Amino acid sequence: MRVQSLTLAAASAALLAPTTPPAAHPQPTAWRESTVTATELLAEVRDCTPVSRGRYRSDYGAPATIPVCGTRDVVFWKADMDIDCDGRPGTRCNVRTDPYFAASTAYSQSDGRPLSAERLPFIVVPAPSRLWDYRDHGIGGGSVVAVVYRDRVQYAVVGDAGPQGIIGEASYATAKALGIRAHPHGGGAPSGVTYIVFKNTKVSPIEDPAAAVTEGERVARRFAAGSRADGPGGRGPKG
């Protein structure tokens, strides 16, 4: 996680209280082909109706050019990918591999422990601000996300919060599954990543990547079908 966001994770840790018993430790996620293609999803987010009051930066010192866009069913943004290695320490994510490592995430596992960036595909949302507050759009810890890079779709969850003015960050596991260099120092992608967050969805337990894929496939299939249906089941107008 970027150094300025270290205190945000700690401050936000109470946002999601444990509600379900601990799940078995998931294995690191490997990418597999989605039944909904990257092309289908990207076709649904070609046009941007901004829902943020301004634009975000991709990194400190970069120009603020990235809006958060919205439809009835999703919010989305197109940005770079920086690597979030925070949470439970492991062999790839720890104080030795990441100079800005923080052993916490904004949202916790069902057993109360921080998420594992090594094992769980999750994304980082900007901390709530006057610019934009994700909580106002039916989004919270465990919300389903489709992360699209080139021809790949990786399903993930909202798992951490970052700086208020910067956007475009995901866990080590997300990057690795998408074929992006995942090292927390020097890894990531400079551009070309689309983050599609589905409103009013929630994976439970949050740490179960298989549940994220199941729910992700379901909502993505419905979303991608929206442009082909005008009646019931259609996506409806943007807003």
Side-chain angles (χ1 to χ4, degrees):
M1 182 182 290
R2 301 177 178 92
V3 62
Q4 285 84 345
S5 60
L6 297 182
T7 57
L8 293 171
S12 304
L15 291 176
L16 184 67
T19 56
T20 56
H25 297 300
Q27 293 301 309
T29 298
W31 178 81
R32 68 175 181 80
E33 186 173 2
S34 170
T35 61
V36 182
T37 68
T39 299
E40 289 175 307
L41 286 173
L42 292 177
E44 294 297 309
V45 295
R46 284 176 300 191
D47 302 320
C48 176
T49 299
V51 295
S52 56
R53 294 184 178 89
R55 298 182 177 228
Y56 285 89
R57 304 177 190 275
S58 60
D59 293 290
Y60 294 104
T65 60
I66 305 168
V68 176
C69 312
T71 75
R72 188 184 69 183
D73 300 316
V74 305
V75 299
F76 64 93
W77 55 92
K78 301 177 182 183
D80 64 340
M81 181 184 287
D82 291 312
I83 307 302
D84 187 353
C85 230
D86 292 343
R88 287 184 11 241
T91 57
R92 305 294 184 184
C93 294
N94 54 63
V95 294
R96 296 182 302 278
T97 62
D98 183 357
Y100 304 126
F101 177 79
S104 60
T105 48
Y107 294 95
S108 303
Q109 293 188 162
S110 55
D111 61 3
R113 295 189 297 168
L115 303 178
S116 169
E118 286 187 21
R119 294 178 174 270
L120 181 66
F122 65 79
I123 72 161
V124 181
V125 290
S129 70
R130 293 174 62 185
L131 185 60
W132 183 60
D133 188 337
Y134 62 90
R135 300 171 300 183
D136 293 338
H137 298 267
I139 296 166
S143 291
V144 178
V145 186
V147 186
V148 184
Y149 181 67
R150 296 179 177 171
D151 61 347
R152 291 187 172 189
V153 178
Q154 175 63 42
Y155 295 107
V157 295
V158 171
D160 207 354
Q164 291 182 336
I166 295 181
I167 205 165
E169 190 173 5
S171 68
Y172 179 102
T174 308
K176 188 173 179 61
L178 287 168
I180 295 172
R181 184 169 182 261
H183 197 281
H185 185 64
S191 62
V193 184
T194 301
Y195 304 79
I196 305 171
V197 187
F198 295 90
K199 298 178 180 180
N200 303 309
T201 59
K202 187 171 184 179
V203 173
S204 182
I206 190 174
E207 68 270 21
D208 185 352
V213 171
T214 299
E215 180 65 3
E217 290 279 2
R218 184 184 72 81
V219 295
R221 190 178 303 112
R222 183 178 63 191
F223 179 63
S227 63
R228 301 189 296 274
D230 296 325
R235 186 163 51 87
K238 292 183 178 183

